[in-house]
Amino acid sequence: MNRWTVLAAGATLLFAAPAVHLLSALWAPAGEHWPFIQTHWLPQYAFNSLWLSATSALAAAALGTVLAWLETAYDVPLRRLWHGALVLPLAVPPYIAAFVYNHFLGYTGWVQSFLREIIGLPPEAAYLHIPPPALAVFIYVLFLYPYVYLIVLGDLARQDAAVIESARLLGAGPVRTFFRVVVPMSRRSIVAGGLFVAFEVLGDYGLAAYFGIPTLSTGIVQAWFGLYDLPAAERLAACFLIGLIGLIMLERLITRRKLPYTPRPRPLSRQALRGGRAALALLVHVIPLVFGVFIPLAQLVAFFRAALAAGTVHALWTPLGNTVALSVLGAAGITAVATLVTAVARHFPTRVTSAFPEVMLAAYAVPGAVVAVGVLGLLLPLKTLFSFGWMVTDTPLMLLYAYLARYLAVGVETMRAAGERLGRRYFDAARLAGAPPWRAFWRGEAPLLLPAFISSMLLAWIELAKELPLALLLRPFDFETLATTAFLYAGDERLIQAAAPSLIIIGVGALSVIWMMRGKR
């Protein structure tokens, strides 16, 4: 085992340590509040989390699959526009959409104001109440369906058109062809996309906390911030982590199952739509964009204009500077560690080194609240054991470490894909010329991997700029980011002050979407 393999193994263990620490908490003494949590909190929180994730995943899978099929099989009006536009709801984090829609549907919002002032309904008749869980599912579906859409769209592009055209020739109509042929052929990608949505819902903290829905993520935060019982929070997070490991194993089992396919598939010829069918297909495309892009942006712009008129736009230089500094440092660290781990797995392949990237990819499914509690339990003892421990626990270093532990998968996926395309020929040629491994990589591969370095940095920076639960739990005193600033303003019902940081975060998210779609061309 060479020193590069040892270094990669050390990096993997370092950033997997929070999860390992949480699993060890199951055998540690429970906190004083654990019996109460186990009896009164855990069943309700687990049920709410499972219900929200399952319902949202099913609905998002249905919407994303229908949109992907329409894009693949039919010549929808303005088709080139919809291909990129349907992914734009990903730019809006669900916790921002939560307070936007809460106001939009509230008493002073546009909907009830329209019913009272334009339609003329009395206030009691115009009152509109949507239960928070139902509104949460609506928001999750609306802003997470693009994950399913992208996965299914890519899968349909690899399917052979002969099967679908045979069904049409045998007299099957559009609906029957979709349910009897398209859905069974794409079941693996549909399930994979639905599970991805389920992971996102399970890991969400901001939306559930804003609506007051008790879930496992909010329970973990409440056990630490409300009860100040870190051992109990660790045990609750460990139970959550075990359930996630089971879901990850299920996802890997489903997505790795081989399905028959044609090596050189013939693309499906799109059918032209006319009349009512064209209008219906156009409506199906417009509705997600209206509710997922235009309404949130219009409401936030209205908030921002109101803040400007009232003179209550607070300076955002400090949270903006904190966000940029942490995101840039985190993105650089993620890219560096991902490059090390993927290069070692590619150039020194063994069962052990091949597992390093897989461990980091699996960590992406772990929610931020779970990672935060694992980091707290792992690093807080440093403050009492070492005189310099405060330099880690009382500074942004702890938050930076958590960023890397949570988002290394972004860099690993990018660098591994670039490395697989590059191969080993340049590295092997340099090694045959007598260069040591580090020089063979630096001189032979690094210049060719420069675009992947930039992509990894940008994607990681965008993910870190939007991160909420890690920043809420681990930030030092009086240290705010754009995400925490927007969330805390919204929690205090100071929505017009929350507009400016929210618009910046959405702009960062839009950059992510544009970059992602640019890479798919």
Side-chain angles (χ1 to χ4, degrees), residues 218-233:
T218 61
I220 291 168
V221 177
Q222 190 175 358
W224 170 234
F225 273 104
L227 302 178
Y228 299 99
D229 191 342
L230 183 57

Side-chain angles (χ1 to χ4, degrees), residues 21 224 230 234 372-386 389-390 392-394 398 474:
H21 173 77
W224 170 234
L230 183 57
E234 289 178 331
V373 171
V375 170
L376 281 170
L378 187 68
L379 298 184
L380 281 184
L382 294 178
K383 195 171 183 179
T384 56
L385 293 176
F386 303 101
W390 65 271
V392 176
T393 59
D394 296 345
M398 184 162 65
L474 301 178

Side-chain angles (χ1 to χ4, degrees), residues 174-232:
V175 176
R176 189 175 183 184
T177 300
F178 176 75
F179 283 105
R180 298 294 298 273
V181 179
V182 176
V183 172
M185 284 198 317
S186 305
R187 63 184 182 275
R188 183 174 60 175
S189 59
I190 294 171
V191 172
L195 284 173
F196 201 102
V197 173
F199 285 136
E200 291 290 323
V201 175
L202 285 172
D204 177 73
Y205 168 77
L207 184 150
Y210 184 77
F211 283 156
I213 303 173
T215 63
L216 288 171
S217 290
T218 61
I220 291 168
V221 177
Q222 190 175 358
W224 170 234
F225 273 104
L227 302 178
Y228 299 99
D229 191 342
L230 183 57

Side-chain angles (χ1 to χ4, degrees), residues 431-488:
R431 292 286 286 147
L432 287 173
W438 68 270
R439 182 174 295 175
F441 177 81
W442 185 253
R443 295 287 183 86
E445 290 191 350
L448 300 174
L449 290 174
L450 182 60
F453 293 150
I454 297 174
S455 297
S456 174
M457 287 275 293
L458 180 60
L459 291 175
W461 181 81
I462 290 166
E463 289 289 341
L464 298 180
K466 299 187 295 181
E467 172 59 35
L468 177 63
L470 287 177
L472 279 176
L473 282 168
L474 301 178
R475 74 192 193 281
F477 176 74
D478 201 26
F479 184 93
E480 303 294 344
T481 65
L482 289 173
T484 61
T485 301
F487 183 76
L488 293 176

Side-chain angles (χ1 to χ4, degrees), residues 70 77 447 482 518:
L70 289 175
L482 289 173
R518 175 178 173 270

